[in-house]
Amino acid sequence: MASAYMHTLAEIRDNLAKGAIRPSEVLDSCLTRLAQTEPRIHACITVCAEEARKRAAVLEAEGPSDPPGALWGVPLAVKDVLCTRGIRTTAASRILENFVPPYDAFAVERLKVAGAVIIAKTNLDEFAMGSSTEFSAFGNTANPWDISRVPGGSSGGSAASVVAGQCFGALGTDTGGSIRQPAGLCGCVGIKPTYGRVSRYGAIAYGSSFDQIGPLARTVRDCALLLSVIAGHDPRDATSRDAPVEDYTAAAGRVGLRGVTLGLPVEYWAEGLSAETEKVCRAAVETAAGLGAEIREVSLPALPYGIAAYYILATAEASTNLARYDGMRFGLRVPGGDLTETYAASRAKGFGEEVQRRILLGTYALSSGYYDAYYTKAAKVRRIIAGEFAKALERCDALLAPVSPVVAWKPGSLPDPLSLYKMDILTIGLNLAGLPGLSLPAGLGGESGMPVGLQIFGRAFDEAGIIGIASALEAALPALGEPEDVSDAGFN
Ligand code: GLN
């Protein structure tokens, strides 16, 4: 067998289940790869080598159950915003640098029950606020396709880890694009499930009415497998829905797109897309048409107001969610002369600049006198956008759009925070509407040679539908191939 880390999750899972390879062998392959690539990629905040080795040994001693757990022995990584019992969970913030949760997030619990081995906690923008993993208190992550570029964000560590071959899949969170955008910029698959599909229990909150947990992996089938494990109702999250969970791996077997209507929202295909991005994505639409899909133009006229609405609502929610970090109950404490000074000193030292900016923005939007002008208005815009999505999806089975207007950029190359916020124009609409979306590698940009992603948006709770469409397209699109080797071996 080729080095274990080179297999897809589905392949390695099957090999593990039939005893062709042992959990500790697979783990060793991933840990070796991790050690070789991490100096250049820096995808992880914490590597849980020891815990993972113990876990693999226990699994091996027990042997697989009958039938084997869906992820028995498979090494996976988890964004460091999801709580892991006994393993520190930082949200990439100084304020939680030494926080060791006493419990697992629901999604992590599900992975463990299915037999997975957690090998690392991945890097992100602090509290998932960002689009490039440049706002981590633990340093930047690099894009495995070109280490001088960002991996996207905020789940940049998860995407980079998957693409660099450190693990077979990872969990991320998507508040305004943080699964789909790094998947797109790094060249892997990512799914943002419908709001309510996966319990947010144990996810460190950013914007609670937007946050969703979802998988990143190298193939559509691998993502489907992970989603099948983490989807489902959980009474500990009041917004988790008791909707039936389908077998997403069955959906991943779809061939052809006959009878499928795909909408192209004109606002997503407008000016602002780089020429190479537009070219690759248009070619993918042609491929879909070649597979039998009917393509039609649709319009979401309020979408251009999405960025403004999102950055008001998400920062408003963030400002209240982050109020709990006050130096008193947990996290960093910087003692001051009195209580108020201690709050201020702890928060000033513990939060990075971008997080502080967002707390200020959100507090302002919620302050009396401005609440109606900003928050209420943004909430209305959100309703309108959600309505437009629903209408477009009455006429179409799914919608197609590029993931990002440009390919991965160089760290520090955007002039100001607003330019960075504007990069989210193609992802945030879906979060405002609460719908599911998948990001699929569509090809490499002709100019940059960097991955370009295509999004597939679906109806509420129709993850199976978008997985089917993605998998038919995946089989027909040109494979991206492998990035140049970023391991020590490739760098001598
Ligand atoms: N880039 C967006 C933001 O900074 C989305 C982040 C996310 O989805 N967590 O808010």
Side-chain angles (χ1 to χ4, degrees):
M1 195 174 345
S3 275
Y5 76 82
M6 294 174 76
H7 290 260
T8 67
L9 191 164
E11 286 164 355
I12 210 73
R13 193 267 317 245
D14 292 349
N15 283 326
L16 279 158
K18 64 176 188 237
I21 190 164
R22 288 180 290 115
S24 58
E25 290 176 281
V26 178
L27 177 64
D28 279 345
S29 172
C30 287
L31 286 174
T32 305
R33 180 73 185 161
L34 195 144
Q36 289 171 344
T37 52
E38 208 40 16
R40 272 164 289 273
I41 300 298
H42 185 46
C44 307
I45 292 180
T46 304
V47 179
C48 331
E50 213 175 294
E51 293 87 347
R53 281 206 178 93
K54 274 193 206 142
R55 165 96 171 139
V58 169
L59 291 174
E60 222 163 285
E62 289 170 358
S65 53
D66 186 19
L71 298 169
W72 191 77
V74 177
L76 298 174
V78 172
K79 184 177 184 178
D80 206 22
V81 79
L82 296 175
C83 287
T84 39
R85 183 155 48 93
I87 294 172
R88 79 169 176 153
T89 301
T90 67
S93 182
R94 287 281 163 230
I95 213 154
L96 289 177
E97 189 170 3
N98 299 310
F99 172 57
V100 179
Y103 64 101
D104 280 323
F106 172 87
V108 171
E109 215 171 65
R110 282 283 185 96
L111 294 184
K112 287 187 176 172
V113 170
V117 177
I118 311 291
I119 101 167
K121 301 296 299 289
T122 55
N123 200 13
L124 64 145
D125 291 291
E126 186 176 355
F127 284 101
M129 298 175 188
S131 314
S132 58
T133 319
E134 287 172 279
F135 296 140
S136 165
F138 299 87
N140 292 3
T141 293
N143 191 313
W145 282 87
D146 174 353
I147 57 169
S148 74
R149 296 179 190 249
V150 300
S154 63
S155 312
S158 290
S161 177
V162 164
V163 172
Q166 299 180 346
C167 59
F168 294 92
L171 295 185
T173 58
D174 193 313
T175 305
S178 280
I179 290 174
R180 289 161 288 148
Q181 189 259 21
L185 299 192
C186 286
C188 65
V189 181
I191 300 178
K192 181 249 171 229
T194 312
Y195 184 75
R197 175 55 96 192
V198 180
S199 165
R200 291 178 295 111
Y201 176 77
I204 294 177
Y206 162 17
S208 310
S209 76
F210 298 94
D211 299 341
Q212 247 318 271
I213 299 158
L216 296 96
R218 294 194 281 259
T219 68
V220 174
R221 176 175 294 277
D222 290 354
C223 268
L225 230 165
L226 289 168
L227 184 62
S228 298
V229 170
I230 62 171
H233 180 240
D234 171 22
R236 292 168 300 180
D237 169 6
T239 61
S240 133
R241 272 275 295 274
D242 200 356
V245 174
E246 289 166 65
D247 176 2
Y248 301 116
T249 45
R254 178 175 189 133
V255 184
L257 291 174
R258 220 158 284 286
V260 174
T261 305
L262 298 174
L264 301 188
V266 288
E267 293 76 11
Y268 279 97
W269 297 84
E271 55 182 297
L273 293 182
S274 73
E276 58 178 347
T277 298
E278 178 157 12
K279 192 162 172 216
V280 171
C281 289
R282 294 248 180 229
V285 173
E286 290 292 308
T287 305
L291 290 169
E294 186 192 325
I295 311 288
R296 72 162 66 138
E297 269 194 0
V298 295
S299 175
L300 307 167
L303 190 79
Y305 303 102
I307 295 249
Y310 169 84
Y311 274 96
I312 289 170
L313 297 170
T315 57
E317 292 184 21
S319 72
T320 62
N321 273 329
L322 270 55
R324 74 192 71 180
Y325 307 105
D326 56 8
M328 291 297 128
R329 287 159 290 186
F330 49 84
L332 178 78
R333 174 183 298 177
V334 180
D338 57 22
L339 186 64
T340 314
E341 268 182 28
T342 302
Y343 286 161
S346 304
R347 289 167 68 83
K349 181 118 191 276
F351 289 139
E353 193 185 324
E354 180 61 23
V355 171
Q356 294 192 25
R357 179 180 299 118
R358 293 190 186 209
I359 292 172
L360 285 174
L361 273 172
T363 307
Y364 182 78
L366 288 176
S367 57
S368 78
Y370 293 107
Y371 187 92
D372 281 334
Y374 295 111
Y375 185 82
T376 309
K377 197 154 217 169
K380 286 182 183 160
V381 171
R382 178 181 198 175
R383 273 296 269 279
I384 294 171
I385 291 179
E388 290 179 357
F389 266 99
K391 218 163 131 216
L393 285 161
E394 276 170 17
R395 300 176 50 218
C396 307
D397 298 296
L399 309 177
L400 301 182
V403 173
S404 163
V406 295
V407 297
W409 54 91
K410 309 254 173 179
S413 61
L414 298 178
D416 49 46
L418 195 58
S419 316
L420 190 66
Y421 300 168
K422 285 186 179 164
M423 287 294 182
D424 299 337
I425 179 74
L426 305 176
T427 51
I428 51 166
L430 195 77
N431 303 78
L432 288 163
L435 298 174
L438 184 151
S439 163
L440 180 73
L444 295 177
E447 209 176 298
S448 61
M450 294 298 289
V452 173
L454 180 79
Q455 290 183 94
I456 306 169
F457 302 148
R459 298 180 185 134
F461 296 97
D462 187 24
E463 283 81 4
I466 56 173
I467 286 170
I469 293 166
S471 126
L473 257 176
E474 180 185 47
L477 287 168
L480 294 196
E482 298 277 323
E484 263 179 58
D485 195 2
V486 288
S487 73
D488 294 336
F491 256 77
N492 43 29

